[in-house]
Amino acid sequence: MARIELRGLTRRFADTAAVDDLSLDVADGEFCVLVGPSGCGKTTTLRMLAGLEKASAGQVIVGGEDVTDLPAKDRNLAMVFQSYALYPHMSVEENIGFALKLSGRDRAGVAQAVKAAAERLEIGHLLARRPRELSGGQRQRVAVARCIVREPHAFLFDEPLSNLDARLRGQARVEISRLQAQLGVTTLYVTHDQVEAMTMAHRIVLMDGGRIRQAGPPMELYDPPADLFVAGFLGAPAMNLLPGLVDRSQGAPRFRAGSLQAPAPEAAPDGPATLGVRPEALSPVPLGPDDVAFPGQVLHVERLGAETVVQVLVEAGDALSVTARLPGSRAPSPGAPLTLHAPVSALHAFDAQGRRVEPGCARAFAAAG
């Protein structure tokens, strides 16, 4: 186990910075998830940490030791790849114990370590099989077992669940989270899947364009998000973002988008702004005296069993619509009128540069109301 420090880490390809002056501390024993859209630099960051990609600038420090110029084999970091990278000609037992064998561990010691790791991951009955004889979920467990036996400073995961179906992904999320908690090993995990990030991470690092946009515990990114990018990335369905403007022509600041109006924070400057509201914050019934109403017409309905996702056109002239997550028992018909309600405390405000209006949106809106 070890603390990981990335200092001004940069990776350039020709004139493009895949990772741009990134600094990040991962505490000893922390489960940190790098998440973001394709091309944001998260995998390149992980590969520079692992020693598989040379940094153009910056430092990589593991357990207080500067490993920036060390080869991958000398960093004592265990990586699970998207493809799992198992040797097809070796048995499961041989795959798990291969790194120990290379390090010179005696045969009895290797066998004991392999058995312990296999039992921990419930794959002891698979030790004689070859990778081609395993399911995707079983291969993923073998790859994790291969990491465990090395007793590394840290685990590095590069989208390890992307090859699994939805049911197995859910199981694997639980297994990896449980195992990391038991072992207490520092873990850096890369994914493009926000569900993995939200459910597994102690801390999420959301990246875009090679830089960190926001980092913190999952719910600190979800509510309140630092900017429009974070607001639009996290959440399924995504946060509703309605462009409009803030004006004080009638005294108190108001957000206006066509005929739609809502109280605006005192801190919000006049001019272009964006109003945000999460789909789950919208209700077809009034919730309180300070509700903001979103009257409109149902465009589309998706019945998902436990919930119904409804898209409502709230301003025809500007084609503004909002999406609401309603209980599964509620399924309005397309074309029907529907007014959605949200408490003022559930609204978010973003200025013309896309930054969340300070102080916290919910408190600011409540004060303005």
Side-chain angles (χ1 to χ4, degrees):
M1 297 184 290
R3 178 183 178 188
I4 294 173
E5 303 167 71
L6 307 180
R7 294 283 176 262
L9 209 58
T10 299
R11 181 66 170 109
R12 291 190 173 276
F13 297 95
D15 295 330
T16 302
V19 177
D20 189 7
D21 194 26
L22 183 145
S23 293
L24 174 68
D25 284 359
V26 182
D28 187 3
E30 183 179 10
F31 196 130
C32 181
V33 176
L34 300 183
V35 66
S38 297
C40 71
K42 54 188 185 294
T43 293
T44 302
T45 299
L46 197 73
R47 289 176 64 84
M48 285 192 288
L49 170 58
L52 301 175
E53 197 90 50
K54 184 173 178 59
S56 304
Q59 287 181 295
V60 177
I61 301 170
V62 179
E65 179 185 2
D66 189 337
V67 301
T68 309
D69 297 321
L70 288 182
K73 64 183 181 63
D74 296 330
R75 298 191 181 195
N76 195 24
L77 300 170
M79 189 161 180
V80 176
F81 297 90
Q82 183 176 355
S83 63
Y84 309 137
L86 302 178
Y87 297 109
H89 62 286
M90 293 184 182
S91 68
V92 167
E93 182 175 12
E94 291 169 331
N95 265 284
I96 296 174
F98 184 67
L100 296 183
K101 183 179 178 180
L102 286 181
S103 70
R105 181 88 66 94
D106 64 88
R107 183 176 298 180
V110 172
Q112 183 178 3
V114 169
K115 181 181 178 183
E119 288 178 351
R120 174 163 271 170
L121 288 160
E122 301 178 357
I123 53 174
H125 61 294
L126 303 174
L127 290 177
R129 296 189 187 181
R130 297 286 192 271
R132 66 177 178 274
E133 300 172 305
L134 306 177
S135 68
Q138 290 168 337
R139 291 177 189 174
Q140 186 255 340
R141 291 189 186 192
V142 174
V144 173
R146 186 173 57 186
C147 291
I148 291 174
V149 296
R150 293 176 52 189
E151 299 182 351
H153 289 319
F155 290 153
L156 311 180
F157 289 90
D158 185 14
E159 306 209 32
L161 310 186
S162 60
N163 293 328
L164 304 181
D165 62 38
R167 182 180 63 84
L168 285 176
R169 280 201 303 272
Q171 293 176 356
R173 287 199 304 267
V174 173
E175 290 172 358
I176 292 175
S177 298
R178 177 178 54 82
L179 185 65
Q180 193 275 339
Q182 288 177 351
L183 298 175
V185 178
T186 308
T187 299
L188 202 63
Y189 186 107
V190 163
T191 183
H192 66 276
D193 187 329
Q194 59 175 288
V195 175
E196 289 179 28
M198 291 292 295
T199 57
M200 300 175 74
H202 297 156
R203 183 163 54 116
I204 290 175
V205 177
L206 180 53
M207 295 182 62
D208 179 46
R211 292 176 173 268
I212 296 173
R213 296 295 291 259
Q214 189 175 355
M219 291 310 296
E220 284 189 11
L221 271 71
Y222 189 80
D223 188 15
D227 57 33
L228 285 175
F229 175 81
V230 179
F233 187 86
L234 291 178
M239 179 184 287
N240 295 294
L241 298 171
L242 303 175
L245 56 86
V246 171
D247 78 74
R248 290 173 167 78
S249 59
Q250 296 181 6
R254 304 286 295 177
F255 174 86
R256 303 182 190 278
S259 60
L260 180 67
Q261 294 191 35
E266 287 291 346
D270 287 359
T274 301
L275 177 73
V277 59
R278 292 282 182 194
E280 62 271 22
L282 292 165
S283 170
V285 296
L287 299 172
D290 67 343
D291 281 0
V292 173
F294 296 82
Q297 183 181 45
V298 176
L299 289 177
H300 184 68
V301 177
E302 293 181 335
R303 302 202 65 167
L304 304 178
E307 65 182 22
T308 299
V309 177
V310 179
Q311 185 180 17
V312 176
L313 180 68
V314 295
E315 187 67 34
D318 295 320
L320 295 179
S321 65
V322 297
T323 299
R325 290 173 59 182
L326 308 180
S329 58
R330 291 185 174 273
S333 300
L338 179 65
T339 298
L340 297 169
H341 305 263
V344 168
S345 60
L347 303 181
H348 301 260
F350 303 91
D351 64 19
Q353 287 72 45
R355 299 169 300 200
R356 180 173 62 90
V357 175
E358 299 289 355
C361 302
R363 293 192 299 273
F365 268 106

